[in-house]
Amino acid sequence: MNLEAIKRGWLVISGSSKRKLKEEGRVTQLERHYLGDKGLGRLSTQRLGNNLELFTRPAGEKVEHRLGFSWQDFARADVLSQVELSVVTVTTERRPGTQLIVSELRDRGFWGSQQAAEAITVELSKLIFPYGSWSPSNSAKGAQQFEVNVTLNGQQLDLIGFSKQARRLAQARYVVRFEPEGELVVQGYAKLGFLRTKGTSKDSERERADFDVLVEADGGQRFFEFLRQKKASKDLELARGDTSEWFVQTTLRKNLDAVDKVRTTEDQLPANPGPFESEFDVIFYTDVDSDGAESDLSSQELDKYIKAMAGIRIYRDGFGIRVDEDWLGLGKAFTKGSSYYALRPRNVLGYVKLSVAHNSLLRELTNREGFERTPHYENFVLLMEEAVKRASLVNEHLRRGWREFREHIRREETGLNNSAKRPSGELRKRLNSVKKVKVDLESSRRKIAEELTQVKTRTSSGDGQIALFDAETRLQQLEAQETRLLKLVDQAQELVATASRQLGEIDDGEALLELLERENEVLKEQAALMYETVSLGISAEALSHELFNITDRIHGASKDYEKHLNRSKSTDTTAFSFVNTVLIQVNALRKQLTRIEPSLRYVREQREEIPLGKFLAETTEYFTQRFDQKPIRIALSQGSHGDFAVRMNRGKLLQVVDNLLLNSEYWIEHWLRVGRLAEGVMNLRVDAPALQVWDNGLGIDPSVEESLFEPFVTTKQAGRGLGLYIANQLMLSDGCSIRLLPERNKFERRYKFEIDLSGTMYGKQP
């Protein structure tokens, strides 16, 4: 700083030359952008110590300006001007730059402790990017790394070293790029160790032993071959890792305008926050305990660092921006499920890289404690939430994949694969077989005992001596008895051999029990996730039933009041208008309830003949009225195979068709809002024995096209992912099905649903 900068800027509270430089978009010689501009930061040095000294040499000058004072002088003065300050200028060869010395430190005991080293390491890591060099990238070029070197009581503190060693423990890593063109790319990587159970129970120990044999023995190859056959693996673009460090990798590509709930600008374009990068690791604390020995740091030191730095932190041009520790809601998402592998604040360590040059529309609050809630910032959060959602999907897919692979091996070992057998049925069958052998063995034992008793009787006289005068007859009887005994012994030996085989199969019972436990666990997980939806359905059913009664009462009361107005020959036009409005709205509500009624429990099992053409015409009329104030229309057509009728529950069919059309409406409105459509068009086509539904939107997101009908798969921001799963189950219960056709639209996306109703076709077709 030169003298002018010291006197007009540094010594003036709230005086900062950076304010004007920021407005002009200027950068430093090292291409760093100017950040703070309030002119108050230097006041914070009084919290460290009583005295402050300044030594500064301007670039291009061979002089150094020196200034020193005590903060206590200001505490004793009534006004700031009473404190006399003077700047001393001397000739120097020292390199240009500024040095501040704070002396007479407060809390000297703290600065001499190990606690100080830990606190400074963590707090500076939050303030200065601690993950290596702040290298510019193709997508988001930023300033050069701002280097910070810290020496405390002669000890060099390694800020970056902590991060590097903590990241070595990562079992999964996610690399996020938001490109200038508006495409989000999320690449995920996972190690084999990510799937190793971390618990200490006997079940966990048994699962780890299985993991060693079934997965790690061949480097996970057999498991990977099993995994990639799953539908969701195709959606996740699952592949073997591109380096020996990673077992598998996945990729997601998604445009900003395809993100649900995306915010738009006044010109109806998605508010683009500008290109940015992010990386975050999944680290389990048990890994710190097991792997810490390989580090230069103790497991306790790493544990403290990870706990302090946990979460995904935001840095702009190398400097941290303080945001809520869980600004992405990882804790809130975790409370909705119990998966050990879910992302949660305490097991995620990572960062987001922003720059002033490319993310200027992400405006920080004046205290650098977060961002202004603009559409651009909200879209930035939505993009990061998409990345986190992707990570959770990958983690859960791998976890479930390992459990299903283990179950698959168990079924092979117990002969249950390639059959419709269930573990419970097979176990019962084997137990019944053992019971039968037990009964047969008991019968054989009893017969042998009876024969032996007869032998004893016939070979002895009354006093226990052999009767010689009857020897020949007795000998013949004994020979016959011997033959019977030998036969019984042979039978008994066969039964023993059978019992041995059966007991051998029962030895496999442990594997069968594991399969049963796994089935039970899956059912519990699904049931827990379904409870919310089921309870909502029960509440909706009760509400619908009560609304029927309420509308009847309102309708009756309104008609009575209308009669009263007529009888009294009232001329109150306002009263007549009000009654008429109430009656119109009640009739509209009744119509809505009438459409819901077939799905209610007390009429759900009723079956009737339904001509599809008429049913779809009624559906078209209903949705046309629904879209009255929207730029959406619905078109009904007939295929070459013509109309047909089905015999089934109207509510089931209604629920399936409504689900498809309501999903279509949701995404058409999204594409209208972001300017990708001028008008939405839904299509219904009846073509015996099927019904087809599609629209003119962009189609199904490629990331879910294979797993769309599996439970809890959704691209909606607040969706449950149960609608299509339930719709498919409803169709399967009547021998029908629903599928996404392989045909692709102009956007190269699958888009057309087909409901196959051949299982319910009825009578002579129209």
Side-chain angles (χ1 to χ4, degrees):
M1 290 182 287
N2 55 30
L3 280 174
E4 184 69 13
I6 295 172
K7 293 179 179 179
R8 300 293 182 186
W10 199 79
L11 286 175
V12 177
I13 295 176
S14 192
S16 175
S17 60
K18 289 189 287 186
R19 191 174 299 128
K20 183 178 180 181
L21 296 172
K22 282 178 66 176
E23 291 173 356
E24 295 174 353
R26 296 170 65 181
V27 296
T28 69
Q29 290 182 348
L30 296 176
E31 296 186 352
R32 297 188 184 120
H33 292 268
Y34 295 98
L35 297 178
D37 61 8
K38 295 188 294 296
L40 300 173
R42 54 195 170 275
L43 299 179
S44 63
T45 59
Q46 62 186 299
R47 299 182 63 183
L48 300 177
N50 291 327
N51 303 327
L52 178 63
E53 297 174 82
L54 169 71
F55 301 84
T56 181
R57 176 190 169 181
E61 299 183 23
K62 293 188 176 182
V63 296
E64 179 180 77
H65 306 297
R66 301 174 179 176
L67 170 67
F69 59 84
S70 171
W71 289 109
Q72 292 179 332
D73 293 341
F74 292 94
R76 289 189 287 265
D78 294 326
V79 293
L80 295 178
S81 58
Q82 291 178 351
V83 179
E84 295 185 4
L85 299 175
S86 60
V87 179
V88 177
T89 301
V90 298
T91 303
T92 183
E93 294 296 326
R94 190 173 70 84
R95 69 177 186 175
T98 299
Q99 179 183 27
L100 288 175
I101 298 177
V102 180
S103 59
E104 200 174 314
L105 296 176
R106 303 177 187 275
D107 195 2
R108 297 181 189 178
F110 169 77
W111 291 106
S113 67
Q114 181 61 29
Q115 181 185 359
E118 294 174 359
I120 291 174
T121 298
V122 169
E123 292 305 317
L124 284 179
S125 295
K126 293 177 181 179
L127 178 64
I128 308 297
F129 186 73
Y131 294 95
S133 174
W134 183 273
S135 55
S137 67
N138 293 330
S139 62
K141 290 186 178 180
Q144 295 180 25
Q145 171 73 4
F146 185 86
E147 295 183 7
V148 176
N149 298 305
V150 184
T151 303
L152 180 65
N153 300 323
Q155 175 189 357
Q156 181 92 19
L157 302 185
D158 185 7
L159 306 184
I160 295 174
F162 265 97
S163 295
K164 285 182 177 179
Q165 296 189 61
R167 297 196 77 189
R168 288 176 192 162
L169 304 173
Q171 295 294 341
R173 177 167 298 162
Y174 293 90
V175 179
V176 183
R177 297 192 317 276
F178 182 61
E179 306 287 2
E181 299 78 16
E183 183 182 46
L184 177 71
V185 181
V186 182
Q187 291 178 296
Y189 304 87
K191 298 176 182 177
L192 265 182
F194 174 72
L195 298 170
R196 182 184 289 278
T197 304
K198 309 299 191 291
T200 57
S201 66
K202 289 184 178 179
D203 287 342
S204 296
E205 291 175 0
R206 187 170 59 187
E207 187 173 332
R208 280 195 295 273
D210 286 344
F211 187 82
D212 292 340
V213 174
L214 301 177
V215 178
E216 289 203 329
D218 67 348
Q221 184 58 37
R222 188 180 177 191
F223 171 54
F224 175 76
E225 294 298 330
F226 172 84
L227 199 61
R228 73 173 181 176
Q229 299 303 317
K230 298 178 68 64
K231 290 182 179 179
S233 293
K234 186 174 181 181
D235 290 341
L236 296 172
E237 295 187 29
L238 190 77
R240 286 304 299 259
D242 55 10
T243 67
S244 58
E245 181 182 11
W246 303 107
F247 167 54
V248 291
Q249 64 185 55
T250 68
T251 305
L252 167 72
R253 298 180 183 275
K254 194 165 194 173
N255 287 327
L256 175 61
D257 61 7
V259 176
D260 188 25
K261 304 297 184 185
V262 66
R263 286 15 174 209
T264 56
T265 57
E266 293 180 358
D267 54 1
Q268 207 180 11
L269 291 174
N272 192 321
F276 63 86
E277 293 180 356
S278 172
E279 287 191 24
F280 53 90
D281 297 330
V282 180
I283 300 174
F284 300 109
Y285 287 132
T286 50
D287 295 329
V288 176
D289 297 332
S290 61
D291 297 343
E294 301 175 6
S295 168
D296 296 333
L297 302 167
S298 69
S299 61
Q300 290 82 3
E301 289 175 311
L302 278 172
D303 184 69
K304 286 181 181 179
Y305 179 80
I306 293 171
K307 285 180 178 177
M309 290 295 292
I312 300 176
R313 300 187 175 276
I314 303 177
Y315 298 86
R316 193 197 294 266
D317 291 328
F319 288 91
I321 300 172
R322 293 185 181 274
V323 292
D324 185 272
E325 288 186 4
D326 192 20
W327 59 282
L328 283 173
L330 300 183
K332 181 180 178 181
F334 172 64
T335 59
K336 295 181 179 179
S338 58
S339 170
Y340 182 84
Y341 298 93
L343 294 186
R344 48 186 118 169
R346 73 182 187 91
N347 69 5
V348 174
L349 188 71
Y351 63 84
V352 180
K353 277 185 178 182
L354 303 177
S355 69
V356 171
H358 292 92
N359 308 110
S360 59
L361 294 173
L362 299 180
R363 297 192 293 269
E364 299 163 40
L365 299 173
T366 56
N367 59 2
R368 288 181 63 81
E369 299 264 339
F371 294 86
E372 295 179 18
R373 296 199 66 84
T374 64
H376 298 85
Y377 172 71
E378 290 177 350
N379 282 351
F380 163 68
V381 174
L382 283 174
L383 288 164
M384 284 303 299
E385 287 177 345
E386 282 289 321
V388 166
K389 186 190 300 183
R390 180 68 168 194
S392 296
L393 282 174
V394 172
N395 292 358
E396 191 63 20
H397 179 65
L398 293 175
R399 182 185 77 92
R400 289 184 184 276
W402 152 234
R403 290 192 172 183
E404 290 174 9
F405 175 67
R406 186 172 179 235
E407 179 181 340
H408 172 78
I409 299 299
R410 286 288 176 265
R411 293 181 72 90
E412 278 189 347
E413 293 173 349
T414 54
L416 291 177
N417 269 353
N418 303 317
S419 74
K421 297 177 182 177
R422 294 182 62 83
S424 56
E426 184 65 15
L427 190 58
R428 183 175 290 107
K429 176 184 174 183
R430 294 182 185 185
L431 289 173
N432 287 338
S433 297
V434 171
K435 288 179 181 178
K436 184 177 183 303
V437 171
K438 179 183 176 183
V439 171
D440 292 342
L441 277 171
E442 177 60 27
S443 175
S444 181
R445 185 199 65 77
R446 190 169 59 251
K447 290 178 181 179
I448 291 173
E450 290 173 354
E451 290 292 336
L452 288 173
T453 301
Q454 291 179 20
V455 169
K456 183 178 180 181
T457 301
R458 290 171 178 171
T459 57
S460 303
S461 61
D463 58 0
Q465 300 299 319
I466 300 292
L468 297 177
F469 61 87
D470 201 19
E472 185 176 352
T473 302
R474 293 292 181 89
L475 183 59
Q476 291 174 351
Q477 291 175 343
L478 286 173
E479 288 176 348
Q481 205 130 33
E482 180 186 17
T483 301
R484 290 196 297 273
L485 276 171
L486 289 173
K487 185 176 181 182
L488 286 171
V489 169
D490 288 342
Q491 291 176 353
Q493 287 177 338
E494 288 180 7
L495 286 171
V496 169
T498 302
S500 179
R501 289 195 302 271
Q502 295 292 346
L503 289 171
E505 291 181 355
I506 288 298
D507 286 341
D508 294 335
E510 184 177 354
L512 287 168
L513 285 172
E514 286 184 18
L515 291 175
L516 279 172
E517 289 169 357
R518 170 60 184 152
E519 284 189 354
N520 186 47
E521 183 180 341
V522 170
L523 287 173
K524 282 183 178 179
E525 289 177 358
Q526 292 178 346
L529 293 169
M530 291 284 279
Y531 282 150
E532 182 181 351
T533 303
V534 171
S535 63
L536 181 63
I538 292 171
S539 300
E541 184 175 85
L543 177 62
S544 300
H545 184 68
E546 187 59 29
L547 282 175
F548 273 112
N549 298 329
I550 293 172
T551 54
D552 284 343
R553 289 196 293 271
I554 294 175
H555 186 271
S558 300
K559 294 297 290 184
D560 288 343
Y561 187 58
E562 184 180 40
K563 290 176 182 177
H564 167 72
L565 291 174
N566 288 327
R567 282 197 302 268
S568 62
K569 299 181 180 180
S570 173
T571 58
D572 188 344
T573 56
T574 301
F576 277 107
S577 176
F578 175 76
V579 170
N580 187 52
T581 300
V582 170
L583 289 172
I584 291 173
Q585 295 303 321
V586 166
N587 286 331
L589 184 56
R590 275 179 164 180
K591 190 168 185 178
Q592 295 283 346
L593 291 171
T594 300
R595 186 165 182 82
I596 296 173
E597 186 181 21
S599 299
L600 300 182
R601 182 180 58 194
Y602 51 83
V603 293
R604 191 179 299 148
E605 296 308 317
Q606 297 177 7
R607 294 176 179 272
E608 59 182 288
E609 182 180 351
I610 306 172
L612 259 292
K614 182 180 179 182
F615 173 84
L616 294 180
E618 293 170 352
T619 298
T620 300
E621 181 184 358
Y622 171 81
F623 276 93
T624 298
Q625 293 179 6
R626 179 185 175 92
F627 302 150
D628 183 45
Q629 302 299 319
K630 300 177 180 180
I632 306 174
R633 62 184 176 88
I634 186 166
L636 177 61
S637 62
Q638 191 172 114
S640 58
H641 295 94
D643 195 7
F644 65 105
V646 295
R647 184 171 181 79
M648 65 183 302
N649 173 254
R650 180 177 291 269
K652 285 185 179 180
L653 182 60
L654 195 66
Q655 189 170 346
V656 172
V657 174
D658 277 6
N659 180 270
L660 293 175
L661 293 177
L662 291 173
N663 279 342
S664 181
E665 178 188 12
Y666 184 94
W667 288 108
I668 282 177
E669 289 184 333
H670 172 88
W671 299 122
L672 288 168
R673 185 165 55 84
V674 299
R676 295 295 295 269
L677 289 179
E679 178 191 38
V681 181
M682 295 180 187
N683 295 276
L684 289 172
R685 175 183 293 165
V686 58
D687 191 11
L691 162 63
Q692 293 181 348
V693 183
W694 74 95
D695 61 54
N696 67 332
L698 269 69
I700 301 301
D701 192 313
S703 67
V704 297
E705 65 178 26
E706 292 293 336
S707 54
L708 196 59
F709 293 98
E710 294 182 6
F712 317 114
V713 173
T714 181
T715 55
K716 292 180 181 177
Q717 191 70 14
R720 290 186 177 86
L722 290 172
L724 285 174
Y725 171 74
I726 292 173
N728 191 38
Q729 295 303 308
L730 289 174
M731 289 293 95
L732 290 173
S733 68
D734 273 340
C736 303
S737 64
I738 178 172
R739 64 178 180 136
L740 179 65
L741 295 178
E743 181 181 342
R744 296 187 181 272
N745 59 16
K746 63 181 180 180
F747 304 106
E748 288 303 313
R749 289 185 173 192
R750 294 164 69 177
Y751 69 105
K752 189 177 291 187
F753 290 91
E754 182 177 82
I755 305 171
D756 183 353
L757 294 165
S758 55
T760 59
M761 288 182 69
Y762 178 72
K764 185 178 179 180
Q765 300 306 306

